[in-house]
Amino acid sequence: NKMAGILLAVTLMSVLSHVDNNNVLPHWSGKQPDPSKPGGGLPYLQNVTSYTIYNATTGGNGTYNHGPMLTIFNNTFVACWYNGPAHEGQMNRIVIALSMDAKTWSSPTEVFPAVTHKGEENEPFFMNEGRLYVLASDIKFNNSHGPGDSGHGAALMREVIQIHPTIELGPIFWLAARPPSIETNFSFPTVLELTNPVTKHDAFVLLSLQVNETVSGCCNERSLYYLPGDTSQLVLLLRDSHLLRASRCTLPPNSSVANHFGKQASMDWYTCKSGTGAYMFEQPSLLHSRSTKTSSVSLMYKMTVLNRQPTDGLPNPINCDWSDPVETNIPDAPSRTCAGHLPNGYVAVIGNQDLPPSRDTLTLIIAKDGLTFDTHVVIRDKAPKPNFFGPPGYQYPSFMWCKSGNVCESDEFFSVYSVSKEDIVISWTPLNEILNLAN
């Protein structure tokens, strides 16, 4: 009887532990940042070397630069960001720059012009079967090239066909069934009007990797990841003013997204994905989530459902029952976060996990289980005074790691960010230093 009681107790504890774990949200473990101390009192990375991708003062292509993201294509580093003459606004366009060594970078090349009166914001790269695409939405987080929820929204999409010896770009098209209801002097085909079968196939692959997101009336910048060891367990981080909220859901069995997540484990490089619209995917798969004033669904879903009839034949999103977004104890400056996985499977989040309102301290936090963020470090702080219109700080970051091979000379961790919405900078740290932090 005693042994049976012990077995029953162990069984109950196991069941309760499993149930509780499904409801556990990301949380900060350890001492909170102290705004009276440099870097909030958090430890600093020991080896950080920084290089300028674009200098707003001398670059000659506009003094507003923000939201950089990285990828690798044809053994070349590619950086993408949104760029404007002076301010965030209607003249924002999307540009890319190239580098063979992630130290010396080319002048930027325009990928998308300022299509609407709202301006454009880059969304993360999409890659399928070795083909690279750049995407863009407008800068208003509750719209997608459309006049609010009553309009017809759509993202812009374009292939980067080659980058050597010169950059060659494919045609711009709307990732939707019909053109959006916007004021523009441009005319682009829709995904259904594409004549190139390969491009159309890739666009449909992207659309097939949608996951609905039904968090209502909440939040701007957001990023998503799956729990280590279980690609069906998704976690969504949502920035709501000065709060960082979180939501969870479980993907259906054998979903295309979970299967794509599993494939990334064999890659020798990896980049996190995030944004105002928060494309959220592990190379080469994609999730995309975006908030609206009344409801939130996958941006891909929003762009197509509002623009589509049942006979259009565009893929439906995978249904995932998201929990209500709950405030976490993870500090936020606020700014954009970018979540992803390290080579050992741990979850890392780069952002300004300091106390508001400053975006000065660029941080990296790590959770072995994807939930308990008990490792916190400062990448950089003490940003220089803005030369133009600020605000000051190292902000809207993303990260990429790369193992030594054809592209990287050594195992490296890259942080890329804007400096006061002016310069675009990349910082190097030995990958082993990052991996040893949580060990």
Side-chain angles (χ1 to χ4, degrees), residues 360-399:
D360 180 65
T361 305
L362 180 64
T363 61
L364 184 73
I365 61 175
I366 300 173
K368 294 180 181 179
D369 61 357
L371 298 170
T372 304
F373 287 92
D374 54 6
T375 300
H376 335 104
V377 291
V378 175
I379 301 173
R380 293 190 75 180
D381 66 350
K382 299 181 176 63
K385 182 179 178 180
N387 291 316
F388 302 100
F389 303 104
Y394 302 115
Q395 49 197 286
Y396 271 51
S398 60
F399 73 77

Side-chain angles (χ1 to χ4, degrees), residues 311-373:
T311 56
D312 286 337
L314 296 181
N316 289 315
I318 298 168
N319 187 43
C320 205
D321 187 15
W322 290 93
S323 63
D324 290 336
V326 176
E327 178 183 348
T328 72
N329 69 336
I330 300 175
D332 188 62
S335 180
R336 187 180 74 187
T337 60
C338 193
H341 297 82
L342 298 173
N344 56 11
Y346 297 171
V347 172
V349 176
I350 191 171
N352 297 114
Q353 270 47 75
D354 200 350
L355 298 178
S358 172
R359 290 181 176 180
D360 180 65
T361 305
L362 180 64
T363 61
L364 184 73
I365 61 175
I366 300 173
K368 294 180 181 179
D369 61 357
L371 298 170
T372 304
F373 287 92

Side-chain angles (χ1 to χ4, degrees), residues 164-421:
H164 300 298
T166 59
I167 295 177
E168 180 182 348
L169 302 172
I172 299 173
F173 62 93
W174 295 108
L175 194 63
R178 52 191 54 82
S181 304
I182 57 172
E183 298 177 9
T184 178
N185 295 323
F186 296 88
S187 178
F188 305 125
T190 68
V191 65
L192 297 180
E193 295 170 332
L194 293 174
T195 58
N196 185 322
V198 176
T199 304
K200 189 172 185 177
H201 164 76
D202 291 343
F204 269 67
V205 169
L206 185 153
L207 289 168
S208 72
L209 294 171
Q210 305 167 76
V211 172
N212 77 303
E213 191 270 287
T214 56
V215 179
S216 297
C218 173
C219 313
N220 186 357
E221 289 87 8
R222 40 183 67 192
S223 55
L224 178 144
Y225 59 90
Y226 60 86
L227 293 185
D230 191 348
T231 57
S232 69
Q233 294 294 320
L234 303 185
V235 178
L236 182 65
L237 299 178
L238 313 98
R239 196 262 284 180
D240 182 10
S241 185
H242 291 237
L243 303 176
L244 196 63
R245 299 181 182 272
S247 179
R248 288 185 60 176
C249 80
T250 302
L251 289 170
N254 299 316
S255 72
S256 59
V257 172
N259 291 336
H260 274 273
F261 279 161
K263 294 179 181 179
Q264 73 92 30
S266 62
M267 297 180 63
D268 59 4
W269 63 273
Y270 172 96
T271 180
C272 71
K273 295 294 182 292
S274 183
T276 304
Y279 269 99
M280 299 173 296
F281 65 99
E282 319 297 326
Q283 288 281 25
S285 63
L286 180 145
L287 299 170
H288 197 165
S289 180
R290 188 161 182 136
S291 167
T292 69
K293 292 181 179 178
T294 57
S295 66
S296 297
V297 291
S298 161
L299 178 53
M300 292 301 145
Y301 179 77
K302 176 175 185 284
M303 291 184 300
T304 56
V305 167
L306 294 180
N307 256 343
R308 172 179 82 183
Q309 301 298 325
T311 56
D312 286 337
L314 296 181
N316 289 315
I318 298 168
N319 187 43
C320 205
D321 187 15
W322 290 93
S323 63
D324 290 336
V326 176
E327 178 183 348
T328 72
N329 69 336
I330 300 175
D332 188 62
S335 180
R336 187 180 74 187
T337 60
C338 193
H341 297 82
L342 298 173
N344 56 11
Y346 297 171
V347 172
V349 176
I350 191 171
N352 297 114
Q353 270 47 75
D354 200 350
L355 298 178
S358 172
R359 290 181 176 180
D360 180 65
T361 305
L362 180 64
T363 61
L364 184 73
I365 61 175
I366 300 173
K368 294 180 181 179
D369 61 357
L371 298 170
T372 304
F373 287 92
D374 54 6
T375 300
H376 335 104
V377 291
V378 175
I379 301 173
R380 293 190 75 180
D381 66 350
K382 299 181 176 63
K385 182 179 178 180
N387 291 316
F388 302 100
F389 303 104
Y394 302 115
Q395 49 197 286
Y396 271 51
S398 60
F399 73 77
M400 180 174 76
W401 56 259
C402 181
K403 295 182 179 179
S404 61
N406 294 330
V407 183
C408 292
E409 296 180 358
S410 57
D411 294 355
E412 298 290 347
F413 182 92
F414 302 105
S415 310
V416 61
Y417 46 90
S418 78
V419 181
S420 306
K421 298 188 177 182

Side-chain angles (χ1 to χ4, degrees), residues 32-102:
Q32 288 277 328
D34 183 345
S36 68
K37 297 180 179 179
L42 303 178
Y44 288 74
L45 288 177
Q46 296 301 303
N47 298 285
V48 178
T49 305
S50 301
Y51 300 90
T52 299
I53 296 176
Y54 177 78
N55 185 294
T57 303
T58 62
N61 283 278
T63 60
Y64 181 90
N65 299 275
H66 205 32
M69 301 176 189
L70 288 173
T71 194
I72 293 175
F73 178 61
N74 287 356
N75 293 328
T76 305
F77 294 94
V78 183
C80 180
W81 69 94
Y82 56 111
N83 159 271
H87 300 282
E88 182 175 52
Q90 62 183 11
M91 297 305 294
N92 285 175
R93 60 180 186 152
I94 309 302
V95 298
I96 60 172
L98 311 177
S99 177
M100 299 302 297
D101 59 6

